[in-house]
Amino acid sequence: MAQRYGGKYSPDGSSEDAPKPRGTFDGARVEPAGARANVMFIPAIPLVFMSINDGAIGMSLGLGAAGFLTGAALLLREGLRAEAAFNARKVARRPAFPRKMAASLLTGIGVGVAAFRNDYLDAEVAGQVSLIAPVLFGAAGTALHALAFGIDPLSDKGMEGVDTFQQDRVARVVDEAEAYLDAMTEAVKRAKNRQIEARVERFQATARDLFRTVEEDPRDLSGARKYLTVYLRGARDATVKFADFYSRSRDEKALADYVALLDDLEQNFAARTQKMLLDDRSDLTVEIDVLRERLQREGVRLD
């Protein structure tokens, strides 16, 4: 169903309804698995249709090659998303499974099987099948895929001097919080209102500022846990109920109440983030003062 766009500069728009910009592209999230990853699903399609009438062995080889290529495309898409999540965080563990490198390997296998299928069909006349060309084609496919999309992160980032136990606790809580935000994004789409979708994205950007602050200093988790679990779970539930109700009734009062809720949540999340930053600065000042006192007691003067 077509959806009419509305905004501040639309004929029926108003400046009061328009969301206040948080900053140019601030908090914007781009889908990392875009067109260049989705195009990798295409080669398997003609391979399937070309193999239907090639006999049992030819068809099996063709379908097998298509399966390898499709699996590689799926792994690539998930690998790109995992890499984007890794890059978005200042403190992160490397992906547990190297999806992009596995996708490169599966692509090489798929290309090699497809080349072997062609040689097999030709060999019915020539009388022999060589493995040299399939192996070379497979190796070339693997190398080109790796050059085009890169490899997975191979080491942790920002983990020097970090308590791994505490960091694992933070990672679990942040992953749960991200799931709540993703659920909000999916739910608010049912409201079919682009302004409220943009308002939810703005709140999510503020929430992710808090996530990054907690990740940088796991000691802040105890003070921020209720924000990352209780408050975000409530925000998700409220978003689901609002989207279901507003999609049926288009009630402006419900819309205003939901926007007010997002305003309150955003202010509280921003205030909590600022408080943690101030606490971190106070801890740094204390550490500097203690070090200065120790140096002075040992006869070292700091001019």
Side-chain angles (χ1 to χ4, degrees):
M1 184 175 66
Q3 179 182 351
R4 184 177 182 181
Y5 181 79
K8 177 179 178 180
Y9 299 106
S10 298
D12 57 347
S14 62
S15 58
E16 290 79 7
D17 295 334
K20 299 178 180 61
R22 189 171 182 266
T24 304
F25 301 113
D26 191 11
R29 304 187 80 196
V30 179
E31 172 58 52
R36 72 189 189 110
N38 293 333
V39 76
M40 298 303 294
F41 287 94
I42 297 177
I45 299 175
L47 190 56
V48 170
F49 289 102
M50 291 169 57
S51 304
I52 293 177
N53 297 320
D54 288 340
I57 298 179
M59 183 179 67
S60 299
L61 291 172
L63 294 179
F68 282 119
L69 293 174
T70 302
L74 290 171
L75 279 176
L76 173 64
R77 186 165 61 182
E78 294 304 315
L80 289 173
R81 289 172 177 170
E83 183 183 35
F86 179 89
N87 293 333
R89 298 181 178 183
K90 294 183 178 180
V91 180
R93 290 187 179 277
R94 61 183 176 86
F97 178 69
R99 298 176 182 88
K100 291 171 64 179
M101 289 188 287
S104 297
L105 180 61
L106 286 182
T107 299
I109 294 175
V111 171
V113 172
F116 180 79
R117 165 190 166 274
N118 292 336
D119 286 352
Y120 172 81
L121 296 177
D122 293 340
E124 289 182 341
V125 177
Q128 60 181 358
V129 180
S130 174
L131 293 178
I132 296 178
V135 170
L136 291 177
F137 277 120
T142 299
L144 290 174
H145 189 281
L147 288 174
F149 297 101
I151 62 175
D152 303 88
L154 299 178
S155 60
D156 299 334
K157 180 173 66 172
M159 299 291 292
E160 298 81 3
V162 175
D163 186 340
T164 55
F165 175 74
Q166 292 293 338
Q167 192 61 45
D168 289 341
R169 291 180 59 211
V170 170
R172 288 193 295 269
V173 174
V174 170
D175 288 342
E176 181 183 359
E178 286 284 1
Y180 291 143
L181 295 186
D182 292 339
M184 289 179 65
T185 299
E186 293 301 318
V188 79
K189 290 178 181 178
R190 298 198 295 271
K192 294 182 172 59
N193 185 313
R194 286 189 174 89
Q195 291 184 6
I196 200 63
E197 289 178 23
R199 183 64 188 84
V200 169
E201 289 177 0
R202 200 176 90 195
F203 162 69
Q204 291 174 334
T206 301
R208 289 190 174 98
D209 287 342
L210 180 62
F211 298 173
R212 302 292 88 83
T213 303
V214 174
E215 287 175 334
E216 291 176 18
D217 190 351
R219 295 174 301 175
D220 294 330
L221 178 61
S222 58
R225 181 183 288 274
K226 63 181 179 180
Y227 289 84
L228 276 60
T229 56
V230 178
Y231 293 167
L232 283 183
R233 187 187 307 120
R236 178 204 61 185
D237 295 342
T239 302
V240 171
K241 293 178 180 178
F242 161 76
D244 292 340
F245 178 75
Y246 186 77
S247 62
R248 298 191 304 267
S249 65
R250 318 306 291 182
D251 189 335
E252 293 299 322
K253 178 65 166 57
L255 177 62
D257 290 342
Y258 181 66
V259 171
L261 171 65
L262 292 178
D263 290 339
D264 292 341
L265 286 171
E266 184 174 359
Q267 291 174 6
N268 280 277
F269 272 73
R272 183 66 206 183
T273 302
Q274 188 63 29
K275 183 178 185 302
M276 289 193 297
L277 292 175
L278 292 176
D279 291 343
D280 291 343
R281 181 177 178 180
S282 299
D283 292 342
L284 175 61
T285 302
V286 170
E287 292 290 342
I288 292 175
D289 291 342
V290 170
L291 181 58
R292 286 180 179 273
E293 291 177 1
R294 288 179 179 176
L295 290 174
Q296 290 176 357
R297 285 199 301 268
E298 295 177 6
V300 179
R301 291 183 55 85
L302 299 177
D303 295 330

